[in-house]
Every structure is written in structure tokens, then in C-alpha cells.
Amino acid sequence: MRYVKNSIIDRKVPFLDLRIIDDKLRQDILTAIEKVLLHGPVVLGPEVYELEKRVADYCSRKYAVGVGSGTDALFLGLKALGIGPGDEVITTPLSWIATANAIVLTGATPVFADISDDLNIDPDSIEELITERTKAILPVHFTGKICRMDEIMKIADQYGLMVIEDAAQAFGALYHGRRAGSFGVIACFSMNPMKIFGACGDAGMILTDDENIYNKLKALRHNGMVDRTKCIEISLNGRMDTLQAVILLEKLNYLDDIIYKRRERANWYREMLYDVVILPEEKKDEFDIYYTYTIKTTFRDELMHFLNVHGIETQIQHKCLIPLQPAYRTCAKGSFENAKGLVKQILSIPVNETLSKDDIYYVAGCIRKFFSK
Ligand SMILES: *Cc1c(COP(=O)(O)O)cnc(C)c1O
């Protein structure tokens, strides 16, 4: 094997690396944290509002509301739109469980559409699921690739449905010149540490252009309180920490570089692996950020084991479709045959920006070696 230079035994390629190893970024963060510790307001301090403004600008939206997590963002976002018992929300069966949990927690019913080979919701499977109870479509930009939003927006327009983007995995991605988070009536982000634009703890954000929704969201993240005395709706405490906000403000300065590096690693994989497994594909006018680099093969489990033996950590995101989870036995509807097949083939391989070209070549070399047997 040309690409496997180092000894197999001691080489390790981790899937994730949550350390902040860039000395300058770490110093910038420490300085910013010290500022917060000295000025006091550690919850919803001025830096949260500064971050909201910068994120709204970045995604070309009018308003942003910082919340405690991506799950908060989805749950409070759905509540702000008045979605609740009796309503149906069409979404994807392949996502992090939080997407559907947020729907169920409002009292609404998730209806699961099918997915396409790009692992995102298949717009062609949505229409047949629409009933008089359907209120919204909740697409997830899975793996950091934006869904086919022109088709989804068209269906939503035609049937008078709201669109809520779960853009948790796609901060910075583009589709036909537009950013993730710029399509839906609201869009939800997670900034948990695993996300590419991640804090050092849980954080999330909701974007909208609608002033009424914006005002409602500000109350909803604060137990439904509009001021110190008046509660307009029963809700929870989902405010963003100022400490996470300052970390994110510093990280935002590095984000373009991080995305550039992930795309560079994706390109190296493409060059090395195009003829052995099914790779993620970028169409014209798409700009994916590779939250995960997810390949497809019918030898998935064997390949995963082989890579593990060679020190390469991989993940299956996710092994079980949401509607097939035990907790969803009684509350899931829909039809998703293609998803059932695809979920057996997916494998996410390391694409972290901290990995070297040598690391990526080692991973690719091991995959080639597996398929040459
Ligand atoms: C991470 C994630 C969430 C939830 O975000 P948290 O901040 O962990 O609550 C929701 N949806 C998707 C698609 C995610 O990847």
C-alpha cells in the first residue's frame, strides 16, 4: 500500500478532537472569559446580544435569540410558532434524536418522510404525508449539507405550511448562494462542542425575520416572562450563558478557516476514494461544511471493524432511525423505506480540521486496503 507508511499498531486517528489547540484562539478565549468574570452578567450578558447580532448578520437574518442548546432552540422555536397538540410536523427519520424529541415535547406528532441518497429529507416523499393536521415541515441539514430547499419551500408555499430548519449541523453551509438558517420562518442552530461552530458547553440559537416571533422567543427562553412580573406562556429556562457567547464570538473569527480545512480534507478523501466507496457528493451551487464525512458501503460493519483495528475511530450517525427507537413506538407515523436501507450503509470517517494530510491519507489508504482484499 502506497499510502500506509507508518506502522499500523501505534497509529491513532480520533474521530473527534474537542481540545482547543490553536494557541492564539485559546488565549483570545481566556482573555474574553476574564472580561466576563470581571463585568458580572454571566447569563444573557451584553456579549450574548453581540453574538446574536453577528450570527444574524452572518446568516442574513434580522433577529437571533441565544438559547441554552440546540434542543432548546427547536423546542422553543416550535412553541413560538404555536405548534402543539393535534398538529403534525413532517421531518426526517435520520437525525439526532433531539429533532423529533422537540416536536413530541410540544405535544405535536412527528411524521417521518423518507430520505434521498444525500441522506437528507426527500422532498418527493413529503407531499403524500400532508394532512389537514400538518402545520410544518422540519428539514434537517444532515452532515452539514443543506436540504433541497427550493423544492421544500415550494411544497410549503403550495400547502400553506411553515418551514423550520434544523441547521444544527450546517452552520456556514450554502445552497444556491444562501446560508443554512436563511430559509425557514425560523431556523435552529446548536453550538454544542461537537458542532463545527461550537462552544465549550451547551448553547444554541434561533433565527427569524419576524419581529413578533423574535419577541415571543425572548420571553419563551425566560420561563415565558416578558418582564420581571408578567408571564405570557408556560415555558422553561433556556437562556444562553455569556461565557459560551464570548467563546463563540472568538470562534466566529476562525470559522471560515475551519470550514476551509474540513472541505480540504473532504477533497483529499474524494481524490483517494472516489473509485472504492460511495462518497458525499456536492452538486453545482452547493457548499457543504462536512460536519461529518459520511461514506456508504454495503460492507459497513466489516469496514468499521477493520478501521478500528488500524487505530481509526469511526462513527455511525445514526444506527437507529428515530421512528424505530423504543421511545417512538407509540408516537411515530410515516413511511421511509429508502432510509431503512441507507442507515445500514452509512459510516462517518474522521474529517476533523486538526487532522494532518498524512492522517487523511492513512485513513484513505486503510479503506483502499480493505477493499483490495
Ligand atoms: C446537535 C443537534 C441537535 C441538538 O443540539 P444540542 O445543542 O445538542 O441540544 C439537534 N439537531 C441536530 C441535527 C443536531 O445535530
Side-chain angles (χ1 to χ4, degrees), residues 20 22 24-36 47 50-51 54 197-200 242-256 258:
I20 295 179
D22 185 304
K24 186 165 177 309
L25 174 58
R26 202 172 54 253
Q27 266 319 311
D28 289 350
I29 287 174
L30 287 171
T31 308
I33 287 176
E34 189 161 31
K35 211 173 79 190
V36 175
E47 292 85 356
E50 189 185 334
L51 179 69
R54 281 193 59 193
F197 180 42
C200 292
T242 311
L243 288 173
Q244 301 308 338
V246 294
I247 290 167
L248 289 164
L249 277 168
E250 296 305 327
K251 260 212 160 163
L252 197 50
N253 300 325
Y254 292 75
L255 186 70
D256 288 344
I258 292 172

Side-chain angles (χ1 to χ4, degrees), residues 69-71 74 95-96 98-99 140 166 168-169 190 192 195 203:
S69 69
T71 310
L74 288 162
S95 180
W96 172 230
T99 307
V140 178
D166 181 344
Q169 302 191 356
S190 163
N192 88 26
K195 302 300 181 329

Side-chain angles (χ1 to χ4, degrees), residues 9-248:
I9 311 303
D10 55 359
R11 182 128 197 189
K12 287 263 179 288
V13 184
F15 186 76
L16 255 184
D17 187 356
L18 298 181
R19 293 173 304 162
I20 295 179
I21 48 177
D22 185 304
D23 286 326
K24 186 165 177 309
L25 174 58
R26 202 172 54 253
Q27 266 319 311
D28 289 350
I29 287 174
L30 287 171
T31 308
I33 287 176
E34 189 161 31
K35 211 173 79 190
V36 175
L37 296 181
L38 288 171
H39 77 41
V42 285
V43 177
L44 288 190
E47 292 85 356
V48 172
Y49 295 95
E50 189 185 334
L51 179 69
E52 288 173 348
K53 180 157 186 352
R54 281 193 59 193
V55 169
D57 286 349
Y58 186 90
C59 298
S60 312
R61 299 300 305 244
K62 280 199 189 134
Y63 306 106
V65 178
V67 290
S69 69
T71 310
D72 279 352
L74 288 162
F75 173 66
L76 299 177
L78 288 161
K79 266 180 85 70
L81 298 178
I83 289 169
D87 297 336
E88 291 179 351
V89 178
I90 297 174
T91 192
T92 171
L94 183 63
S95 180
W96 172 230
I97 194 89
T99 307
N101 284 358
I103 298 170
V104 178
L105 285 171
T106 67
T109 303
V111 178
F112 296 95
D114 211 343
I115 62 173
S116 322
D117 288 346
D118 66 1
L119 306 180
N120 278 334
I121 192 167
D122 181 355
D124 295 332
S125 72
I126 292 175
E127 227 168 322
E128 67 199 54
L129 300 173
I130 296 172
T131 69
E132 69 279 3
R133 288 172 178 264
T134 310
K135 287 280 150 44
I137 307 172
L138 202 169
V140 178
H141 306 318
F142 201 60
T143 74
K145 169 189 270 309
I146 297 181
C147 297
R148 281 146 62 193
M149 290 311 291
D150 44 4
E151 292 168 62
I152 292 170
M153 298 310 288
K154 206 170 140 204
I155 297 168
D157 271 358
Q158 199 179 330
Y159 290 88
L161 305 175
M162 297 181 279
V163 171
I164 298 133
E165 285 174 86
D166 181 344
Q169 302 191 356
F171 195 94
L174 288 157
Y175 175 85
H176 299 184
R178 286 174 67 175
R179 288 258 187 235
S182 69
F183 295 90
V185 57
I186 58 167
C188 302
F189 285 107
S190 163
M191 283 110 174
N192 88 26
M194 291 199 317
K195 302 300 181 329
I196 295 179
F197 180 42
C200 292
D202 286 312
M205 201 163 276
I206 311 163
L207 307 186
T208 185
D209 293 332
D210 184 313
E211 195 180 352
N212 291 328
I213 294 174
Y214 170 63
N215 287 326
K216 193 158 180 203
L217 284 168
K218 283 199 292 183
L220 287 175
R221 75 173 163 187
H222 189 30
N223 273 297
M225 301 297 288
V226 277
D227 53 34
R228 277 178 197 282
T229 54
K230 190 167 158 202
C231 177
I232 54 158
E233 186 169 339
I234 295 165
S235 188
L236 44 70
N237 174 14
R239 294 170 299 173
M240 183 188 269
D241 293 340
T242 311
L243 288 173
Q244 301 308 338
V246 294
I247 290 167
L248 289 164

Side-chain angles (χ1 to χ4, degrees), residues 273 276-278 295-310 312-314 345-349 363-373:
L273 292 173
V276 287
V277 284
I278 303 172
I295 61 173
K296 282 177 282 193
T297 165
T298 47
F299 300 98
R300 193 264 313 273
D301 293 338
E302 295 88 338
L303 176 61
M304 189 176 194
H305 175 74
F306 182 85
L307 293 177
N308 188 38
V309 167
H310 288 73
I312 298 164
E313 198 188 336
T314 59
Q345 299 176 29
I346 51 175
L347 186 67
S348 301
I349 61 177
V363 175
C366 286
I367 294 172
R368 293 198 71 91
K369 187 171 167 193
F370 172 81
F371 282 101
S372 70
K373 288 193 302 183

